[in-house]
Amino acid sequence: METDRPSEPDGEQHVSISLVMPNYNHSQYLHKSVGGMLAQLRPADEIIIIDDASTDNSLKILEAFAGQNANIRLIKRQTRLGAVANLNAGLAEAKGELIAFPGADDHISPTFLRDTAALMALHPFAGFASSSVEIRDENDKLTGARPILYPTTHPAFVSADQFRRMLSGSDNHFLGAATLYRRDALLTVGGFDASLGPMCDGVSARRLAARHGFCFTPGPLGMWRVHGKNYSLAMISAPESTAQIITRLKSVIDAEPEGIFPHDYAELLVKRLRFGIGRIIADDISDEPQVSLDRIADLAGGREIDHFALKLIRWSGPAKRVGAKIWLTLRLRPFSLIRIFLEPLRRKIFVRRD
């Protein structure tokens, strides 16, 4: 069910771009994150930075950047509002036709705006453009990449119908660290739903993709830093928060008009979320392995067989992380196992970055 597509633009025209970056106590990363926004080969027309009542020396750093760059607007909160509230505040404040929300602890490559905006100019009906990202730790060490499954192997547009067909075997194609949205389209779906916590941008992107389609480039055009204090990781580390988000996620997808998503997608997305949370917990099994393994067992299904299998996995030494992930995969089957198995070969043969 695709929405009406606007006609192709005639001739060359300037499309304004806004960058919005909320920050809370990420002073150690600001030189890289703000520096990345300022280093764009296609400069942003405005940069809005919202400091959410930081208690470190973030303000000092941000004020220095703002004093030296006229297109930076610094908003200083006296009371902390939270990440999602500031995303929506920035969305409301921004004037750009296109808008991105780089993380204060993340980084965008110098070609991010140039490449994503150019792709969206070719496909003016797309809801957004995104790319793959590198994953780095607090010491800037490369630890991985996302998404696990590329929606396309070259810079391209994926229609809403194509996106819906993809969802049976793959998902989680979009990373907020490297996504450029069409602002009007994002406003139409209500921006970011605070009740979804760290899933808010992922759900908004899925809702846009299912209505307008999206653009993707293998990239990577950004970097997602995983350091233990990420908003997303902090929220899903608590079982109560996880349960609330899962319940809310299902209700949001179920409430969509018929035809926007496949009929069984709400259940499938919940299963994939449980799998994703379980993988993160498995990566961090350390001092209290049984606590982590019990949570993974609950996420896998919570049956007696899950707890029994995870207790056995506990005694597998260093292999327990891999064992826990394998059990999650077998129990939840979140994605097409054939797709996951063939993805490295697919990328090696077909991925183009032109």
Side-chain angles (χ1 to χ4, degrees):
M1 176 180 164
E2 295 186 48
T3 57
D4 293 336
R5 295 177 175 179
S7 59
E8 296 280 347
D10 295 324
E12 202 71 28
Q13 62 180 7
H14 178 80
V15 176
S16 57
I17 301 178
S18 299
L19 293 177
V20 173
M21 191 190 79
N23 171 69
Y24 176 70
N25 284 354
H26 284 317
S27 60
Q28 68 268 44
Y29 305 122
L30 290 176
H31 287 286
K32 189 171 183 72
S33 58
V34 179
M37 293 194 291
L38 293 170
Q40 293 299 297
L41 297 180
R42 192 296 190 192
D45 296 276
E46 66 171 351
I47 297 174
I48 300 173
I49 302 178
I50 306 173
D51 185 76
D52 199 24
S54 291
T55 58
D56 62 3
N57 65 332
S58 289
L59 266 181
K60 182 179 179 180
I61 297 170
L62 294 174
E63 285 170 345
F65 272 116
Q68 297 167 10
N69 298 275
N71 68 333
I72 291 181
R73 179 150 61 103
L74 178 58
I75 298 173
K76 308 172 189 177
R77 301 285 189 216
Q78 300 302 312
T79 304
R80 192 177 179 198
L81 298 183
V84 184
N86 285 309
L87 289 176
N88 286 319
L91 176 61
E93 289 275 343
K95 302 294 188 286
E97 297 162 77
L98 305 177
I99 185 169
F101 302 87
D105 48 351
D106 298 329
H107 177 70
I108 50 176
S109 73
T111 60
F112 169 65
L113 290 182
R114 184 196 69 183
D115 293 356
T116 52
L119 199 52
M120 291 184 76
L122 293 174
H123 305 284
F125 37 81
F128 61 92
S130 68
S131 80
S132 65
V133 301
E134 295 179 341
I135 300 176
R136 293 183 179 270
D137 65 15
E138 64 270 24
N139 299 313
D140 226 28
K141 179 183 177 182
L142 181 65
T143 59
R146 291 289 186 277
I148 295 173
L149 299 173
Y150 284 2
T152 177
T153 56
H154 60 283
F157 171 71
V158 177
S159 73
D161 285 338
Q162 289 173 317
F163 172 65
R164 277 188 286 274
R165 288 194 293 271
M166 284 179 182
L167 290 176
S168 63
S170 64
D171 209 332
N172 199 27
H173 305 118
F174 325 119
L175 285 300
T179 297
L180 181 67
Y181 299 91
R182 204 169 298 282
R183 182 172 173 270
D184 285 347
L186 184 56
L187 285 168
T188 299
V189 297
F192 303 106
D193 186 339
S195 69
L196 291 169
M199 283 293 294
C200 68
D201 56 343
V203 171
S204 291
R206 287 171 173 86
R207 296 179 70 206
L208 289 172
R211 286 166 166 79
H212 307 289
F214 67 98
C215 297
F216 181 82
T217 184
L221 299 179
M223 179 268 286
W224 175 35
R225 192 183 302 279
V226 176
H227 50 73
K229 295 182 181 179
N230 303 72
Y231 169 66
S232 55
L233 301 187
M235 285 289 290
I236 64 176
S237 63
E240 300 80 10
S241 298
T242 299
Q244 291 171 5
I245 291 170
I246 287 174
T247 300
R248 176 60 182 159
L249 177 64
K250 188 175 185 306
S251 68
V252 167
I253 300 300
D254 280 337
E256 288 283 6
E258 185 176 354
I260 292 290
F261 289 108
H263 72 279
D264 60 345
Y265 184 58
E267 292 289 349
L268 190 54
L269 183 54
V270 165
K271 187 183 294 187
R272 288 167 176 169
L273 176 59
R274 287 162 51 199
F275 174 77
I277 294 170
R279 284 183 72 253
I280 292 170
I281 295 171
D283 282 333
D284 199 35
I285 294 174
S286 54
D287 295 336
E288 297 183 274
Q290 195 56 55
V291 174
S292 298
L293 292 170
D294 283 343
R295 278 211 67 198
I296 293 171
D298 288 336
L299 290 163
R303 296 184 178 179
E304 187 174 335
I305 189 173
D306 296 305
H307 288 279
F308 177 73
L310 270 298
K311 283 179 180 177
L312 292 179
I313 287 170
R314 176 182 179 178
W315 304 111
S316 61
K320 59 179 173 286
R321 292 179 176 84
V322 175
K325 292 178 186 178
I326 291 173
W327 185 256
L328 277 168
T329 302
L330 293 175
R331 291 287 286 139
L332 295 174
R333 295 186 177 270
F335 306 110
S336 164
L337 296 182
I338 294 176
R339 275 292 314 274
I340 290 175
F341 179 75
L342 293 178
E343 182 71 2
L345 180 63
R346 174 176 174 256
R347 293 188 192 186
K348 186 174 183 179
I349 296 175
F350 296 109
V351 165
R352 301 201 320 267
R353 292 178 172 85
D354 52 311

